[in-house]
Amino acid sequence: MLVEDCVFCRILRGEIPSDKVYEDDKMLVFRDIEPKAKVHLLAIAKEHFAFLSDADERGRELVSYILFKIPEIARKNGCADGYRVVINQGADAGQTVFHLHIHVLGGEKLPW
Ligand code: AMP
Ligand code: ZN
């Protein structure tokens, strides 16, 4: 189920444009609007879960599906030499969009 005022649900409904790099029936990957690396992708499920800690059985299946699609998508988008996968969970991590998303950062040597 999608949520009315969620920015990523709005992207999924086509109400907000996005620079899509991959899509299938379960997930969408698009470029982050404020990239923190040369390549900065966001991978989301086509269902609304606010937090990793909220994920029920269905959410867990989707997170796993997305996670293991990432290597192929990253390789095809300039991250053949490696990339970082990040999930910001909650206030201390600075989560700003409350639709679970997986950051994929790469395209350059990343500082740790
Ligand atoms: P987080 O801090 O993990 O919640 O990250 C949310 C990310 O979403 C940030 O890196 C934002 O730059 C990105 N973002 C917010 N709105 C959009 C948008 N409309 N299109 C693409 N990326 C977005
Ligand atoms: Zn949403």
Side-chain angles (χ1 to χ4, degrees):
M1 207 181 76
L2 299 181
V3 165
E4 191 58 45
D5 63 352
C6 165
V7 62
F8 289 172
C9 285
R10 295 191 69 197
I11 284 176
L12 288 170
R13 285 196 298 265
E15 294 168 10
I16 296 178
S18 67
D19 189 355
K20 294 178 191 179
V21 304
Y22 177 82
E23 181 168 20
D24 66 22
D25 59 327
K26 296 188 187 66
M27 65 181 280
L28 176 70
V29 183
F30 53 97
R31 293 187 193 282
D32 196 293
I33 207 167
E34 283 180 46
K36 281 92 184 164
K38 269 194 186 143
V39 177
H40 186 172
L41 309 176
L42 297 173
I44 64 173
K46 289 189 167 179
E47 290 179 34
H48 182 93
F49 296 94
F51 300 103
L52 186 63
S53 57
D54 271 1
D56 57 9
E57 196 62 32
R58 173 79 181 140
R60 287 169 190 217
E61 268 174 33
L62 284 167
V63 170
S64 174
Y65 177 81
I66 293 168
L67 204 50
F68 290 102
K69 273 282 180 190
I70 284 174
E72 173 199 337
I73 297 163
R75 183 169 37 79
K76 289 180 176 163
N77 285 278
C79 298
D81 294 329
Y83 51 89
R84 184 168 294 148
V85 171
V86 172
I87 296 175
N88 288 327
Q89 157 80 36
D92 276 2
Q95 184 177 2
T96 57
V97 176
F98 300 99
H99 178 129
L100 178 59
H101 50 283
I102 301 179
H103 296 261
V104 179
L105 300 141
E108 62 183 320
K109 192 114 185 126
L110 300 169
W112 179 237

